[in-house]
Amino acid sequence: MRFALTYVLITSVVLVFLNVYTSSTTRNMMLRTKETSLQSRVQLVVSSLSGLERLTSDNVTQVVTQLGDLTATRLLVTDSEGRALYDSLSTANATGKVVLFTEVVLALRGNNVFYAVYRDQALESRICLPVYASGSLVGAVYLMEYDADQGAIIAALEMNIITISVILGIIVLLFSLVFSLMYSRRMRLILQSIQLLREGEYSHRIALRGQDEVGVLAAEFNKLTDRLRTSEAAQRQFVSDASHELKTPLASIKLLADSIVQNEMDMETVREFAGDIGNEADRLTRIAQDLLVLSRIEADDKADFVVMEPGPVVEKVVRLLTPLAGLRQIRLTARLESGCTVVTREDDVYQIAFNLVENGIKYNVDGGELTVLLRRAEDDVELVVEDTGVGIPEDALPYIFDRFYRVDKARSRQAGGSGLGLSIVHDLVARNYGTVSVERRPEGGTRFTVVFPFFGMEGEV
């Protein structure tokens, strides 16, 4: 409403200015026209009288009579002393009397005088010019015109302008009120929706259309609620999956511990049960560590990102996991190109490479192969990890990066996986402005491809 009233106020000021300006311009134009008209008529009388050596009442009357009707309200001719020699008025005739009109006095001093005023819807104009004969001032010609017709034109024009301005002002006022009410209603709807969102109603949507700012705001709000709803669903699913993953080893630990307490067992069986308890505890530890890594990924900023070569870090991972691959006779080879600079953190590169290479070992076949490639691909840097393992079913590929997702749950637990490794890889790659994809190899096995934007150093192409 404040915006609407401000708009109405500004419009009113503009309309008032236009009224004043138009009225003033119209009057000035009329006055200039009137001055030109009167001056031409008076100049005609002055020119006619200038040929006389001496002005008298008779010769002035004769000259004026010869000129005919000058369409003036009053025509007055005086001598050099201001005495009226001719007066066109029939009543209150001033002939023979000294005229002390201001215009006459100024004209007898050698000045051309014009004065006009608009009042009472009439235009009253007066002009007085000196008359010279043989270089000497011999009198003055005074003409006054009371023009009601042009006054009526000015009055009608000003009234029309005022009427149009009032109508425009009313239209602007009504438009502003309607617009403010519509705008306020839409903003109240958005405000109510925000309050519902604050209370946790993530399914609420704003039914507003349009391409204006309010419509765009409503569309962005709906996108926000969709994202919050998706995030909340993912969070609930994550909590549910995490609870389930933690519950399984805890239940196993409790069952094994109860069995040891409630049953009489020989030391060999107790040691076996204790070893199983230790394995489940290790599994709990891995899950907790992976959950902490995911939490740090979501909360960490990018302040400590640096320009670096990922090759040495990947080489360190390959060297560290080569003994693990050797236990199953898996041939691990790495081809790492230089000049693959990216903007990242060493810990992120290490975690990504470690998880992918470790997965390639765990889910490979005995005596298989695992290849790690680091190469430049135009404006990108690619890290490729491909194995000759059992592969991933086609229908499982879209879910492979979901948290706690396992293709073969029994085999994953047997291999010691937490179901979070590839999810960690996906989140780390996304935080480094990269992408990660997975595909089945035609020869068998799986190929993971991580793509980072290349950061060229000065002088590099």
Side-chain angles (χ1 to χ4, degrees):
M1 188 63 70
R2 287 196 298 270
F3 286 132
L5 293 177
T6 302
Y7 183 71
V8 170
L9 178 61
I10 294 174
T11 305
S12 301
V13 171
V14 172
L15 289 175
V16 170
F17 171 76
L18 289 176
N19 272 271
V20 173
Y21 175 77
T22 305
S23 177
S24 175
T25 303
T26 303
R27 293 186 185 185
N28 291 334
M29 182 179 64
M30 289 288 192
L31 293 177
R32 285 195 298 270
T33 303
K34 181 62 67 176
E35 180 182 8
T36 303
S37 175
L38 293 183
Q39 190 168 14
S40 63
R41 281 182 274 170
V42 173
Q43 191 64 51
L44 179 62
V45 178
V46 170
S47 299
S48 300
L49 296 176
S50 298
L52 302 176
E53 295 181 359
R54 179 173 172 272
L55 298 183
T56 64
S57 179
D58 293 336
N59 60 14
V60 169
T61 301
Q62 184 180 2
V63 169
V64 172
T65 303
Q66 291 177 351
L67 292 175
D69 186 13
L70 297 175
T71 62
T73 304
R74 186 178 188 181
L75 177 62
L76 188 67
V77 180
T78 69
D79 59 14
S80 59
E81 295 179 354
R83 183 175 287 105
L85 300 177
Y86 177 83
D87 190 352
S88 63
L89 289 181
S90 55
T91 58
N93 192 286
T95 304
K97 298 177 183 180
V98 176
V99 180
L100 297 178
F101 294 162
T102 303
E103 294 82 3
V104 174
V105 174
L106 293 174
L108 291 176
R109 294 177 181 176
N111 299 305
N112 294 339
V113 183
F114 175 79
Y115 172 78
V117 62
Y118 170 77
R119 62 185 171 207
D120 298 332
Q121 296 187 0
L123 187 61
E124 183 180 333
S125 308
R126 296 190 290 273
I127 187 170
C128 191
L129 300 179
V131 180
Y132 292 92
S134 301
S136 299
L137 192 146
V138 295
V141 178
Y142 170 87
L143 190 146
M144 189 274 286
E145 185 176 72
Y146 185 85
D147 194 341
D149 292 336
Q150 287 201 2
I153 293 175
I154 295 175
L157 181 60
E158 292 181 349
M159 182 56 66
N160 288 336
I161 295 174
I162 292 174
T163 302
I164 293 173
S165 298
V166 170
I167 294 174
L168 286 176
I170 294 174
I171 292 175
V172 169
L173 177 61
L174 293 177
F175 173 79
S176 300
L177 291 175
V178 172
F179 174 77
S180 63
L181 291 175
M182 292 176 59
Y183 185 82
S184 299
R185 182 185 64 81
R186 300 174 79 191
M187 290 304 297
R188 283 196 300 271
L189 181 60
I190 293 178
L191 180 60
Q192 292 170 358
S193 300
I194 292 175
Q195 292 171 345
L196 291 174
L197 180 64
R198 184 185 61 192
E199 299 298 327
E201 293 289 338
Y202 298 143
S203 60
H204 179 74
R205 296 179 64 83
I206 302 177
L208 284 180
R209 297 179 180 178
Q211 299 299 322
D212 59 350
E213 290 81 358
V214 179
V216 173
L217 180 61
E220 291 299 324
F221 176 87
N222 291 335
K223 292 178 183 178
L224 175 62
T225 56
D226 291 342
R227 185 170 181 178
L228 288 174
R229 186 167 65 250
T230 303
S231 177
E232 184 184 36
Q235 184 179 9
R236 288 177 178 174
Q237 184 65 39
F238 176 73
V239 171
S240 175
D241 293 341
S243 300
H244 176 75
E245 292 295 327
L246 293 172
K247 181 175 66 176
T248 302
L250 287 173
S252 298
I253 291 173
K254 186 176 186 307
L255 178 62
L256 292 169
D258 289 344
S259 298
I260 294 174
V261 172
Q262 295 174 6
N263 300 303
E264 293 183 3
M265 300 179 180
D266 54 49
M267 286 304 299
E268 187 64 29
T269 304
V270 170
R271 289 193 186 95
E272 182 180 348
F273 275 35
D276 292 338
I277 291 174
N279 292 334
E280 293 298 327
D282 291 339
R283 184 179 164 198
L284 279 174
T285 301
R286 286 193 297 272
I287 294 175
Q289 289 175 343
D290 289 342
L291 290 174
L292 287 175
V293 171
L294 287 172
S295 177
R296 283 197 300 270
I297 293 173
E298 294 174 352
D300 236 352
D301 58 20
K302 304 177 180 64
D304 53 350
F305 274 27
V306 296
V307 179
M308 60 167 291
E309 282 268 5
V313 180
V314 177
E315 185 180 9
K316 178 181 177 182
V317 170
V318 171
R319 188 168 58 251
L320 181 66
L321 292 177
T322 297
L324 180 64
L327 295 176
R328 299 178 55 195
Q329 289 81 44
I330 296 174
R331 188 161 63 91
L332 177 57
T333 58
R335 296 194 295 274
L336 311 176
E337 296 181 4
S338 60
C340 299
T341 52
V342 295
V343 178
T344 182
R345 295 193 312 183
E346 182 177 338
D347 290 345
D348 290 356
V349 175
Y350 181 88
Q351 189 79 49
I352 293 169
F354 187 91
N355 285 4
L356 291 178
V357 175
E358 186 185 35
N359 267 16
I361 296 173
K362 286 181 180 179
Y363 303 107
N364 210 327
V365 295
D366 293 343
E369 295 183 2
L370 180 62
T371 304
V372 180
L373 303 175
L374 180 68
R375 61 194 179 194
R376 168 89 178 274
E378 296 183 354
D379 293 333
D380 297 318
V381 173
E382 291 182 349
L383 173 63
V384 181
V385 179
E386 54 184 12
D387 59 61
T388 57
V390 295
I392 300 173
E394 196 70 34
D395 58 348
L397 290 177
Y399 312 103
I400 199 67
F401 296 108
D402 292 350
R403 295 177 181 180
F404 297 111
Y405 181 80
R406 294 186 177 92
V407 177
D408 186 342
K409 295 185 178 181
R411 183 180 178 187
S412 296
R413 289 196 178 97
Q414 184 179 4
S418 64
L420 294 173
L422 292 179
S423 179
I424 291 173
V425 170
H426 178 273
D427 290 356
L428 283 173
V429 171
R431 190 177 69 166
N432 285 271
Y433 309 106
T435 59
V436 57
S437 59
V438 58
E439 58 182 337
R440 293 167 54 87
R441 296 176 69 239
E443 311 88 1
T446 308
R447 178 185 294 112
F448 286 90
T449 304
V450 178
V451 179
F452 293 113
F454 172 72
F455 188 88
M457 304 297 288
E458 186 175 355
E460 291 186 48
V461 179

